[in-house]
Amino acid sequence: MMPYEEALDIVLSSCQNLSTEKVFILDALNRVLAEDVVSQEDRPSFDNSAMDGYAVRWEDIKEATEGSPAVLKLVGEMPAGAESSFKVQRGTAIKIFTGAPIPEGADTVVPVEYTETKDGLVFIKVSLKEGANIRRKGEELKAGDVVLKKGTIIRHYEVGILASLNKINVEVSRRPRVAILSTGDEIKDIGEPITKPSQIRTSNNYTLLAGVLSAGGIPYHLGIVQDDPEKLKSILSQMEDYDVFITTGGVSMGEKDYIKILASEVGVDVKFHKVRIKPAKPILFGTYNGGKGLFFGIPGNPVSCAMAFDLLVKPALLKMQGAKDYLPKILKARIKRDFYRRDAERREFVRAVWWWEKDTLVCDFSQKLQSHMLTSYVDANCYLVVREGVKEIKEGEEVDVILF
Ligand code: AMP
Ligand code: MG
């Protein structure tokens, strides 16, 4: 059976970059930048005050103390947005507000809390370093600097940065079109009546729809299809309309598990079926549409579905969009309890939670270890990785955790 790394490699090396399009920056949220974004100007674009206070000449205040303050004549006021018409001569000060341009002649700003005013005079009760509390032109960025690199995933911070650069529309990757189909005679969609005790409510459709959205894709809900080869085949034959096609259920060894055979029949070039992981072992992956489309046949157990999405599908969706950072993030943590399992053949990804304890990252795993228990994700924020061959992990040992 194929190890996880090899399966992930095959998936990633099958990803082809999607075309790009220009969108309004707010529509770029969660999507991948397809151009380098360059600053057109210095930032800040002028020297300005970092504090509310007084703009002064440093030589006037360099020896000021509480007991022997410097006494300066107040000659004007500079609110933010004002144009400077003042000149700060020796012995004078200008009242200044955060963000206002530094008036000519001034080289230091004294915060208001170190001052007092009386009869048109300012008493400065502290000496500061020359240049204190001035934000310098260009100290953050120079004109021509690359601010955001191609391949960046756009979060709300990047949206703000783009706005501050007056970049109104930005080139991003097209969103992958992802079809989601569940299979199984027993599965009912939300809102549908459950008429027999053997029927169950779907979670997988919605786990995947939401997962695809969060990874920047456009999910297409193809609903639930019975374990009926003819019906299944007719839906699978629409595969070419999508960049990625995901099915859940019907990929194991049961007699009703038709996905493998049908996938090949409709033109999927199957690259692997079964990976040495727990859960989601029977996962199937292949390409279609001349290698452009990715097909994932994920087993139906809800945890298998969520985990296969996180560890194989999501990295692929990000990579297709050209993201630099497409791999799951791994940290080291100390385990809080003994972990034991009988069968150590596969690499297991156990729902877990990490947190800081003093200055150590620690983790604990869910009590619900089985793959039908989706509520094992409640309060979980990572997978504890239990490697092949490892039966037992002792409290306090260092383990890998993969962040959600
Ligand atoms: P399968 O992979 O088809 O053998 O299904 C494995 C298990 O997952 C069975 O217990 C199914 O009832 C369950 N299952 C299959 N599809 C879904 C779904 N869409 N939502 C929740 N559970 C499912
Ligand atoms: Mg089934």
Side-chain angles (χ1 to χ4, degrees), residues 183-186 227 249-250 256-257:
T183 68
D185 292 337
E186 76 282 30
D227 293 312
K256 297 262 182 187
D257 292 336

Side-chain angles (χ1 to χ4, degrees), residues 195-236:
T195 52
K196 289 186 253 167
S198 57
Q199 294 172 338
I200 66 153
R201 186 76 63 201
T202 182
S203 55
N204 293 349
N205 295 69
Y206 295 88
T207 304
L208 292 172
L209 289 163
V212 166
L213 272 178
S214 73
I218 308 175
Y220 289 83
H221 195 196
L222 306 190
I224 295 155
V225 63
Q226 285 152 351
D227 293 312
D228 171 337
E230 286 315 308
K231 285 187 184 155
L232 255 168
K233 197 167 167 183
S234 109
I235 298 182
L236 291 182

Side-chain angles (χ1 to χ4, degrees), residues 136-400:
R136 294 286 169 202
K137 178 178 192 300
E139 75 178 12
E140 183 182 357
L141 292 174
K142 298 269 185 284
D145 282 355
V146 174
V147 184
L148 297 174
K149 286 217 171 78
K150 185 174 166 171
T152 301
I153 297 174
I154 299 176
R155 305 164 299 172
H156 53 300
Y157 316 106
E158 282 76 22
V159 172
I161 291 168
L162 289 164
S164 77
L165 297 170
N166 198 32
K167 184 94 181 160
I168 300 167
N169 297 299
V170 71
E171 197 75 21
V172 292
S173 167
R174 171 169 84 70
R175 300 171 68 187
R177 298 161 52 87
V178 185
I180 291 152
L181 175 70
S182 271
T183 68
D185 292 337
E186 76 282 30
I187 313 298
K188 292 287 170 194
D189 204 349
I190 53 175
E192 276 191 282
I194 299 269
T195 52
K196 289 186 253 167
S198 57
Q199 294 172 338
I200 66 153
R201 186 76 63 201
T202 182
S203 55
N204 293 349
N205 295 69
Y206 295 88
T207 304
L208 292 172
L209 289 163
V212 166
L213 272 178
S214 73
I218 308 175
Y220 289 83
H221 195 196
L222 306 190
I224 295 155
V225 63
Q226 285 152 351
D227 293 312
D228 171 337
E230 286 315 308
K231 285 187 184 155
L232 255 168
K233 197 167 167 183
S234 109
I235 298 182
L236 291 182
S237 63
Q238 305 163 22
M239 223 161 50
E240 306 222 332
D241 295 345
Y242 307 97
D243 301 302
V244 179
F245 201 102
I246 310 177
T247 62
T248 81
V251 76
S252 307
M253 295 320 261
E255 272 160 39
K256 297 262 182 187
D257 292 336
Y258 297 115
I259 292 293
K260 178 162 189 221
I261 303 157
L262 293 178
S264 304
E265 278 181 26
V266 296
V268 174
D269 176 10
V270 176
K271 306 281 188 194
F272 61 76
H273 181 207
K274 291 202 179 67
V275 179
R276 204 192 299 155
I277 54 177
K278 186 177 176 190
K281 171 171 103 172
I283 188 169
L284 177 145
F285 171 77
T287 59
Y288 60 90
N289 208 3
K292 285 209 279 290
L294 306 185
F295 183 95
F296 293 91
I298 299 177
N301 268 315
V303 176
S304 309
C305 175
M307 197 211 76
F309 178 82
D310 289 346
L311 298 183
L312 289 164
V313 181
K314 187 175 178 187
L317 294 178
L318 295 177
K319 180 141 194 276
M320 295 171 87
Q321 294 175 80
K324 285 179 289 177
D325 245 354
Y326 51 80
L327 289 176
K329 306 226 168 357
I330 302 178
L331 291 178
K332 299 268 182 216
R334 300 256 166 216
I335 198 165
K336 290 292 284 181
R337 274 190 295 146
D338 292 353
F339 176 89
Y340 177 78
R341 60 177 182 167
R342 200 168 300 160
D343 175 6
E345 195 203 354
R346 290 178 277 162
R347 183 171 315 180
E348 190 165 350
F349 299 94
V350 181
R351 278 72 60 214
V353 54
W354 71 263
W355 70 97
W356 285 102
E357 212 167 81
K358 297 204 184 91
D359 49 7
T360 309
L361 208 122
V362 296
C363 73
D364 192 14
F365 47 91
S366 172
Q367 305 285 6
K368 301 175 183 178
L369 291 178
Q370 294 180 55
S371 61
H372 61 284
M373 297 181 173
L374 192 58
T375 52
S376 59
Y377 279 95
V378 173
D379 294 332
N381 58 14
C382 62
Y383 294 108
L384 158 66
V385 182
V386 187
R387 293 193 169 266
E388 297 87 332
V390 174
K391 272 199 172 149
E392 204 173 3
I393 307 173
K394 287 281 180 208
E395 178 192 336
E397 270 184 51
E398 192 175 70
V399 291
D400 283 343

